[in-house]
């Protein structure tokens, strides 16, 4: 089965052609246009600019994906498109395009939940991962732990009480004037550190649970920067900046993995799946490997290009979902709060 996957829920405009086989999904082509340069001056995604840019990029992105995969509309068995959650103007761009293409070319289409996309990114790495699986989805907007019994359903176990982990990376890079997007920059900087700086204190909750909160961490970073004059403009080559980045990502990785042993026991989990943009982080990947080994879980982390938002993960998820009953549900809509 050949699937065209479309994703534009935030600032990545991506299309991919994926062949679904009994042995798992095979990538035929993937195109992704980054908008980092457009949003960099603002230090974060500007929704209207992102949506307009998707409109400009989409036609070429889809055309290029089909061309690279050497397929035409007629070869496609279905179109999978992100329905939500995300920025509404951004979602509407590809969602409307998918409806129009499906109608004109008479191709079945499947609306896909963005987070099911992140889950299915792991099928490119370990298509046979055993269930039940603990699924840690960490991105700029999500820090959620789910239980999955298969590749098409997620049951929420725990989520951050405030900020997402990705935001702590992005805001730290912003406070240190290191550039945008913050996650990859902090990661590179941290890997250059000879040793980590002082560890950050973990938040404590009344119920004693290993819950997540990252807004206090942002404040702690802010205070630490303020206590070292000139640090905010010292740059990525400064050893103090590198040490701070290293302690930040060691802290975030440790906190993210802390609830796993209890949940693994409670749920009889057999796998650990980690996905979303923050799953690109080198420290989180290393600590997740160690945690999975300790807990006897099969680890599935997509390679970095499948962790950040992309059309391939939407195609892989869409391949397993039922197609929309009516070929032309033209009243179906994007859903920013899905
Ligand atoms: O999944 P994603 O591409 O978009 C959302 O759905 O949010 O995730 C983007 C997030 C950003 O916060 C970005 O800084 C973070 O993923 N990120 C990283 C790394 N690469 C991307 N965070 C830490 N280390 C990285 N190497
Ligand atoms: Zn995402």
């Amino acid at each position: 089965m050949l699937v065209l996957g479309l994703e534009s829920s935030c600032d990545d405009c991506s299309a991919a052609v994926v062949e679904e086989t009994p042995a798992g999904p095979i990538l035929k082509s993937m195109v992704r246009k980054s908008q980092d340069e457009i949003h960099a001056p603002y230090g974060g995604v500007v929704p209207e600019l992102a949506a307009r840019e998707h409109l400009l990029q989409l036609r070429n992105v889809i055309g290029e994906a089909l061309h690279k995969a050497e397929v035409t509309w007629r070869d496609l068995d279905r179109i999978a498109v992100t329905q939500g959650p995300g920025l509404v103007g951004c979602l509407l761009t590809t969602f409307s395009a998918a409806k129009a293409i499906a109608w004109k070319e008479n191709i079945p289409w499947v609306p896909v939940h963005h987070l099911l996309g992140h889950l299915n990114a792991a099928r490119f790495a370990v298509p046979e991962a055993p269930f039940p699986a603990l699924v840690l989805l960490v991105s700029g907007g999500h820090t959620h732990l789910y239980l999955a019994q298969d590749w098409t359903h997620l049951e929420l176990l725990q989520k951050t009480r405030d900020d997402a982990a990705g935001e702590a990376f992005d805001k730290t890079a912003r406070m240190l004037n290191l550039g945008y997007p913050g996650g990859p920059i902090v990661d590179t900087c941290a890997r250059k550190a000879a040793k980590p700086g002082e560890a950050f204190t973990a938040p404590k909750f009344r119920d004693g649970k290993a819950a997540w909160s990252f807004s206090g961490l942002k404040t702690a970073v802010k205070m630490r920067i303020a206590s070292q004059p000139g640090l905010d403009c010292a740059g990525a080559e400064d050893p103090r900046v590198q040490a701070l980045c290293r302690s930040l990502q060691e802290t975030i990785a440790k906190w993210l993995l802390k609830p796993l042993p209890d949940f693994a026991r409670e749920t009889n989990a057999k796998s650990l799946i980690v996905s979303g943009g923050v799953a690109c982080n080198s420290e989180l990947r290393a600590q997740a490997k160690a945690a999975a080994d300790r807990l006897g879980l099969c680890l599935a982390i997509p390679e970095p290009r499948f962790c950040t938002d992309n059309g391939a993960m939407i195609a892989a998820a869409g391949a397993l979902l039922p197609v929309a009953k009516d070929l032309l549900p033209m009243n179906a809509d994007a859903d920013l709060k899905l």
Side-chain angles (χ1 to χ4, degrees), residues 326-337:
D326 179 356
L327 186 61
L328 306 171
M330 296 301 268
N331 59 351
D333 216 342
D335 184 348
L336 65 161
K337 289 188 183 144

Side-chain angles (χ1 to χ4, degrees), residues 58-263:
L58 188 62
R59 195 182 287 260
N60 286 341
V61 166
I62 295 176
E64 214 180 300
L66 295 180
H67 180 75
K68 281 191 176 159
E70 298 181 1
V71 298
T72 65
W73 297 123
R74 235 170 297 150
D75 302 313
L76 295 176
D77 296 297
R78 57 174 71 175
I79 298 173
V81 60
T82 307
Q83 184 171 25
L87 302 169
V88 71
C90 299
L91 288 165
L92 276 172
T93 322
T94 40
F95 200 76
S96 308
K99 277 197 285 191
I101 297 166
W103 172 68
K104 178 171 179 296
E105 303 293 338
N106 206 22
I107 305 169
W109 70 291
V110 200
V112 176
H113 194 293
H114 182 75
L115 297 182
L116 271 191
H118 278 304
L119 168 66
N120 276 268
R123 290 209 297 127
F124 290 98
V126 189
E128 300 297 337
F131 289 95
L134 290 178
V135 185
L136 178 61
L137 295 186
V138 256
S139 68
H142 291 92
T143 302
H144 288 41
L145 183 67
Y146 292 96
L147 180 66
Q149 301 289 356
D150 59 35
W151 293 106
T152 59
H153 296 91
L154 289 168
E155 189 188 315
L156 185 65
L157 295 174
Q158 166 169 320
K159 64 177 180 171
T160 176
R161 299 198 178 182
D162 39 57
D163 296 344
E167 185 166 342
F169 278 105
D170 293 333
K171 291 279 157 63
T172 296
R174 198 162 156 184
M175 288 188 271
L176 287 166
N177 287 303
L178 293 178
Y180 172 87
I185 299 173
V186 168
D187 196 353
T188 309
C189 201
R191 272 181 281 143
K192 292 183 190 161
K195 54 181 177 25
E198 200 187 320
F200 290 95
T201 314
K204 285 204 180 74
F205 299 96
R206 274 206 203 113
D207 56 11
K209 289 208 171 131
W212 291 320
S213 160
F214 293 95
S215 78
L217 182 59
K218 265 185 344 197
T219 313
V221 169
K222 191 176 174 187
M223 284 163 60
R224 200 167 287 185
I225 294 172
S227 72
Q228 301 179 64
L231 197 66
D232 57 344
C233 46
E237 296 309 318
D238 188 295
R240 295 170 306 161
V241 172
Q242 294 168 354
L244 175 60
C245 289
R246 184 160 156 195
S247 41
L248 177 83
Q249 74 179 30
E250 287 184 0
T251 298
I252 292 177
K254 193 169 146 200
W255 291 4
L256 285 173
L257 298 170
K258 204 169 166 200
L260 293 188
D262 281 350
F263 280 117

Side-chain angles (χ1 to χ4, degrees), residues 9 114-115 118 139 276-277 307-309 313:
S9 62
H114 182 75
L115 297 182
H118 278 304
S139 68
C307 284
T308 47
D309 293 349
M313 68 184 198

